[in-house]
Structure formats: C-alpha cells, structure tokens
Amino acid sequence: MQRPADAGVRSADADADADVEVSVVLPAYNEAGTIERTVETTLDALADFLPAGSFEVIVAEDGCTDRTPAIAERLAAADERVRHVHSDERLGRGGALEYAFASAAGSTLVYFDTDLATDMRHLPELVERVRSGEYDVATGSRWLPGAEADRPAKRGVPSLAYNTLVRLVLRSDLRDHQCGFKAVSRAAFEALREDVGDDHWFWDTELLVRAQRAGFRVAEFPVSWTPKGDSKVDLVRDVFGMGSQVVRTWWELSVRPRVTREVSVAVGLLLSVLALALMTLYIEPAAVLSALERVRERPGLVVAAAAVYLVSWPLRGTRYRDILRELGYPGSAAFLTGAVFVSQTGNLVFPARAGDLVRAYVVKARRSVPYPSGFASLAVERVFDLLTITVLAGSVLVGLVATGRSEAVVAAVTGSVPGDVPPGAARTAVTVAAGVGGAAVFAVAALVASARVDRGVVRSLLGRISDDSYVDPVASVLEQFVGDLQTVASEPRAFVRIGAASLLVWTLDVATAALVLAAFGVPTPPATLVAVCVFAVSVGNLAKVLPLTPGGVGLYEAAFTVLVAGLTPIGAGVAFAAAVLDHAVKNGVTVAGGVASMLALNVSLTRAVDEAGEAREARERADATQD
C-alpha cells in the first residue's frame, strides 16, 4: 500500500505551523455530498472560541472513489486553514486518522465524524479539556447520564453490547468507546501510536483503553448525538472484526506481559510431567522401573537405535532443501539440516510449536527466504509427514485385518484388552489419529487440486468479505503462501521425490522404536514387532499433532502404550517403558544436534524465537502502510 501524500497543502512557513495549537482531522471516505459543508461548519465553530491562526482543519481523505479528493483539494487551495491529506488506497479509518495526526501541526489533536452527528456546541468543551492541560484525552459519550442520543435499536443494542464487552474484558472505565468525537494531546498520541495495532474501526477504542492503562488522564462527558445517514459500519463484518480486536488487545495487555519465556517453558514442562504422571494411574511405576532394568542387558540396541535415528536427520535436511528449491530458494542440505535441528529443538522446549518460528527466522536471515515462503515450506513438510504416517498406519491396519488379526485390532481400538490398559484409551488415540490422518489426506488432495486453480481466487474471496485497507496486505501474504504450496503440488517429480524422502525419514523413525522395544527382550516375532511398531509410532505421532505439550511428551507415550499392549503379549509396563525410552532417545539426539547446530550457525534459540515473532509483527505493520 502506498503512503498517503499531502495534496493542496497551504504554503505556510514553519512559523505559521508553530502558531497552530489545535488540529481537527475529518476522516473522509466518499463524502462528496457533505464534506464542503462539514469543513465550513468546522471552521466557523473553531473560529468562535479560538484565536485566528491557532487552528487547522485536515481532510483525511481515505482512498475515495468519488469527487471527495477534488473537493478537498479545492478547499485547501482556497483557505490556508484547510489541509488535504490524500491516500490512493484505503488505509482504514484508524490508519487515516493516525497518518493525519502524525502530519498535523497542533499540540491538541481532534477528530469527529464528518456527518456531524455530535452537536457542535460540544466542540469547545472537547478541545479545551485537552488544550488546557487538564486531561490528556477527551471523548464524547452517548451513554453517560445527561447525554441525548436518538438512536434506533439496530444501532443502540450492538453499541451497548460492544461497550459492555470492552468494559468487562479490557477493564475500561469509560461508557462509550466508539463515539466519533475525540481529542488527544500530541504527547499522549506519540506515546501510544506505536502500540495501537488496529487501523480501522477499533483504532479509537484501543487508543482509549491503552491511554487508561498507561496512566493518561481521560475525560468522558455527555453529548447530544443524532444519527445522520447510513452508518458505514457493517454489523456482521465489522462488529465481529472488532470482537477479535478486543481479544487481541486483552491478550497483549493482560496475558502477554505475564507470559515470559520462563513461564512458557515452566508451564510446558509441567504439562509434560502431568501427562506422564497420569499414566501412573493405570500403570504401576514399579513395573516401568523393572522393565527399564532389562535394558541393561542389551545396551547395544539402544545405541544402535540412536544411530539409526541420527541418520534420519540429513534426510530431513535434504527433503527441506528440495522443498525450498521448488519455491526458488536454493540452499545446502548441511545448512538446512542444522536449521531443522534447531527448530525441532525449539519445539521440544517451547509449546505450540514455537520452534517453527526459529526455522522461518533462520532461513529468512541467512537465505533471504520471505516469511510467507518460509511458513509455506514448513506447511508442505508437515503435510507430507502426516500423509506418510497416515499411509503407514493404514497399511498396517489393512495388513492386520487381512491376516486374521481383526479381533485383536477391535480389542485394541475398544480398549477391551487384558492387563492394565484403561478402557477407551486406545479408542481415543486411534480416533484422534484417524481424524488427523483424514485431515492430512484431505489437505494433500486439496493441495494437488489447487495447483490447477487460478491463484487470484484468494484475493477475490477476500474482496467479497471486505473492501477495507487490510485486504491488500493480507491477500498478498496469503497469495504468496498459497502460491508456494501450489508450486510444490504442481510438479509431479518434486511431489514424488519429497514423498519418497518422507517415507525414508519415517521408516528410520519406526526402526528406532523397534530397536528400543527389542532392547527389552520382548518375546515377539520380529515381523510382528516391526508391524506393531509401525502402527504404534504412526498413531502416536498423529495423536501428538495437537501441540499441547513440548515435543508431545505424554501424548505419544499413551498412544504407543495402548497399541503395543493391545496388539502383542507385551505388558503395559514394558510398553510404556519402551515408549518413554524411545521418546527419550529421539529427543536426546534432537537436542544434541540442536545444540551443535546452534553453535555452528551462531543462533540463540530464545533470541531466534523472539526475533522471529518481532519480525513477523514488523512485517504485518509494514504491510499495512506500503506495498
């Protein structure tokens, strides 16, 4: 989006600007029929109580498609008290106000709606509340006692509900946050402008809430208000949009300051410990410890398991290299193996797969891969992983049924197996895995089908939802993301090559689990052991897709335990011990490789997560102001 440019600005010198105390901004979108009368009324009202030369009126014309720009330019050329700020594209109501305030000359910044719904007899009170220095922010209110507001129910009911929500969730002391009749001091505006994240209807609500949280003095006074014309607020699109902004602001003001990196790690570890502790409700800890003692007789198998798992990492790096190459970003397999190591280590430490931010940050910083492409490459990798383990689990399931093991499968799925496995545990794990697997198959099918679809469909769909300023930057990011996914899906050779690499990666993952289980000396034929490990590892990894705990600790163990114990003579204690050791071996290799890669790449894990998040937020802010 292009930055707005001043048009028809008076030819006043710096001294004249210095004399301006009050700047009134009129946000205008397609107001050709009213803007001239509004400017004249505003000038007359200001001249009644302010000295000549101490005020200016700025028409913040926001990507209009009618004659508003020409009228505003003519008014600015005819009267030195009038300025015209023009934008070729819509900035949003808040974006237009912010830009106009930033370019204004006054120390007291005022705005009100161009329909003059608020009686102008309140203008002196609004201005003087801030100009006098008594308050930092002032706002009119249609809900305070003494206010006169003739509003129909279709406006009044949503307004009351919205203001109540803001008061409760954001702990605001004000009664009316959306009255278009506000003033703010230059100092307060400059202190708050970078923190206000919205650029449309929620902008002034957020300004008021953040002003109160920052300790600025905020005045609210009753006004007379009469609706004029049709509101430009869409009660479905904009009200729901402002609701999401309430949630965002609540998170930023009330939650994020308390969620430090240390708290995130502590909560994640607590969830992991809790998940493992719940297993002791149906598996005796003594049985697990006894089973682990048996591994001492075969330590070589555990070492072999770690070596096999280590071999899978260069394959992961090679696969990721192939994905990025299809997107037009070449890179070495060695470097990308390190990047995968670091990001997966982050996923073990931080919940909600925050480690993925690290990889996006590393490839952006070191290989200039844009964030949309970085996240698209991660999405492609995840889809292939889920598809592969879904196919593996499905193949074993079909094989078990075909070889007469259907009763055992049913028993495992329903949880009606001998021993200490809780009823329904296996059924839950398999249900979750089946749902995730089905979603993976659907995602691949949609990905392949979308390769034949016109990539302009994203912008078209968003355009049907909204025509506001945020559509272009959001559409640009989504188009790049979807386009990158389609690029991989549209090349059959790349699809096969990446799929084959994924199959090798997960084959080695299963081999690692089989070697660990064999280290316990279980009396199970090798073929059966491998088949059950394929099924248990696949379902276990599908079950831990929801990032509830760092590394999925607890979720994987539960799924692995119930399936191994349900499909083999192996007891639940041994199965759980094997699941814990298998996960420990894999996580140990991951952490060791991650530490070595961080040293080699000179990457700090926590710093990378923080900088990736900051960079993403900076990009979102930049997209809101420029193409």
Side-chain angles (χ1 to χ4, degrees):
M1 179 179 295
Q2 297 178 351
R3 294 289 293 178
D6 281 345
V9 180
R10 68 189 188 282
S11 58
D13 56 21
D15 291 337
D17 281 345
D19 293 335
V20 174
E21 296 181 51
V22 178
S23 295
V24 175
V25 173
L26 303 175
Y29 176 66
N30 289 350
E31 302 287 354
T34 61
I35 191 63
E36 186 167 2
R37 180 182 62 84
T38 299
V39 170
E40 293 173 353
T41 301
T42 302
L43 290 171
D44 290 342
L46 291 170
D48 284 343
F49 68 95
L50 291 175
S54 66
F55 61 87
E56 64 178 351
V57 175
I58 302 175
V59 179
E61 179 262 308
D62 184 21
C64 296
T65 57
D66 64 357
R67 296 184 58 254
T68 302
I71 297 172
E73 187 171 356
R74 173 171 56 79
L75 294 173
D79 193 326
E80 64 178 8
R81 299 172 299 174
V82 179
R83 292 174 59 194
H84 171 211
V85 174
H86 168 73
S87 172
D88 290 332
E89 300 180 27
R90 291 206 69 186
L91 298 175
R93 176 171 170 267
L97 282 171
E98 181 180 338
Y99 182 75
F101 279 168
S103 63
S107 57
T108 298
L109 308 173
V110 181
Y111 92 87
F112 44 82
D113 294 334
T114 56
D115 61 1
L116 301 181
T118 303
D119 196 315
M120 292 296 283
R121 64 185 171 86
H122 299 292
L123 185 59
E125 181 177 5
L126 176 70
V127 172
E128 294 303 328
R129 292 263 182 149
V130 175
R131 180 170 175 257
S132 65
E134 183 181 3
Y135 292 96
D136 303 295
V137 183
T139 179
S141 176
R142 298 159 295 182
W143 290 107
L144 280 177
E148 299 176 4
D150 179 18
R151 68 180 69 198
K154 69 176 183 179
R155 287 193 182 189
V157 173
S159 174
L160 180 60
Y162 171 78
N163 283 291
T164 301
L165 179 68
V166 173
R167 284 172 56 83
L168 292 176
V169 177
L170 300 181
R171 304 202 310 268
S172 173
D173 295 328
L174 305 179
R175 302 290 294 275
D176 191 351
H177 302 83
Q178 285 298 105
C179 180
F181 197 71
K182 293 181 173 66
V184 58
S185 69
R186 167 70 64 183
F189 169 73
E190 294 296 343
L192 297 171
R193 61 179 298 198
E194 293 298 326
D195 295 327
V196 177
D198 189 62
D199 60 3
H200 202 39
W201 293 111
F202 187 73
W203 183 85
D204 45 359
T205 295
E206 188 172 356
L207 183 74
L208 291 175
V209 170
R210 289 187 180 275
Q212 294 174 81
R213 292 292 186 94
F216 287 106
R217 298 160 299 174
V218 180
E220 183 181 24
F221 60 94
V223 296
S224 296
W225 183 87
T226 304
K228 298 179 181 180
D230 294 328
S231 172
K232 291 185 171 65
V233 177
D234 186 306
L235 287 182
V236 176
R237 182 188 67 202
D238 292 321
V239 168
F240 277 105
M242 288 191 288
S244 67
Q245 295 292 351
V246 169
V247 174
R248 173 188 62 79
T249 306
W250 167 78
W251 176 269
E252 292 179 355
L253 292 176
S254 302
V255 180
R256 181 183 291 175
R258 296 177 173 84
V259 183
T260 63
R261 188 64 60 199
E262 292 76 14
V263 171
S264 296
V265 173
V267 171
L269 292 176
L270 179 62
L271 289 173
S272 300
V273 172
L274 179 62
L276 293 175
L278 290 174
M279 298 291 289
T280 63
L281 295 177
Y282 59 89
I283 297 177
E284 289 292 335
V288 177
L289 294 175
S290 175
L292 288 172
E293 287 290 329
R294 297 161 58 177
V295 177
R296 292 184 178 182
E297 301 175 7
R298 305 169 187 83
L301 289 176
V302 178
V303 174
V308 168
Y309 190 64
L310 181 61
V311 171
S312 71
W313 285 90
L315 287 174
R316 295 172 188 265
T318 301
R319 178 181 63 170
Y320 192 55
R321 178 202 63 188
D322 291 341
I323 293 173
L324 286 179
R325 279 184 176 177
E326 290 303 315
L327 302 182
Y329 301 101
S332 68
F335 167 78
L336 294 173
T337 298
V340 175
F341 257 130
V342 174
S343 68
Q344 290 301 97
T345 300
N347 285 332
L348 292 178
V349 176
F350 305 127
R353 301 200 69 89
D356 288 346
L357 289 174
V358 177
R359 197 189 313 182
Y361 168 77
V362 170
V363 296
K364 171 68 167 62
R366 305 295 174 83
R367 294 297 183 269
S368 299
V369 179
Y371 278 112
S373 296
F375 286 115
S377 65
L378 285 165
V380 170
E381 183 183 83
R382 295 289 178 267
V383 168
F384 273 96
D385 278 337
L386 294 176
L387 177 64
T388 301
I389 56 181
T390 298
V391 170
L392 289 174
S395 300
V396 173
L397 181 60
V398 171
L400 290 172
V401 173
T403 55
R405 301 289 308 281
S406 57
E407 292 184 3
V409 172
V410 172
V413 171
T414 58
S416 56
V417 297
D420 298 321
V421 181
R427 181 172 59 250
T428 300
V430 172
T431 300
V432 172
V436 174
V441 172
F442 175 80
V444 172
L447 189 60
V448 173
S450 70
R452 301 177 181 275
V453 177
D454 179 10
R455 297 184 182 182
V457 69
V458 173
R459 189 175 296 273
S460 176
L461 289 174
L462 286 177
R464 294 179 182 179
I465 299 174
S466 173
D467 60 354
D468 288 319
S469 58
Y470 55 77
V471 169
D472 281 334
V474 171
S476 297
V477 173
L478 289 179
E479 280 181 335
Q480 185 172 354
F481 179 83
V482 173
D484 288 337
L485 293 178
Q486 293 175 339
T487 297
V488 177
S490 63
E491 177 51 56
R493 291 184 180 179
F495 199 90
V496 172
R497 187 169 60 252
I498 296 169
S502 299
L503 182 60
L504 286 175
V505 166
W506 286 102
T507 298
L508 292 175
D509 196 285
V510 169
T512 302
L515 286 169
V516 168
L517 195 54
F520 287 84
V522 293
T524 304
T528 302
L529 184 67
V530 171
V532 171
C533 278
V534 170
F535 196 40
V537 169
S538 300
V539 173
N541 278 282
L542 287 170
K544 73 172 188 177
V545 165
L546 294 179
L548 301 179
T549 63
V553 175
L555 304 176
Y556 176 84
E557 284 79 0
F560 188 95
T561 299
V562 294
L563 290 177
V564 170
L567 295 174
T568 70
I570 300 172
V574 173
F576 180 64
V580 171
L581 185 57
D582 173 48
H583 218 160
V585 167
K586 291 172 180 174
N587 288 353
V589 171
T590 301
V591 171
V595 171
S597 298
M598 280 186 273
L599 293 174
L601 299 177
N602 191 26
V603 173
S604 165
L605 190 61
T606 55
R607 180 180 178 185
V609 171
D610 291 337
E611 291 189 7
E614 292 171 3
R616 183 173 60 179
E617 292 175 0
R619 176 186 175 85
E620 292 172 353
R621 289 195 298 267
D623 284 336
T625 56
Q626 61 185 9
D627 286 327

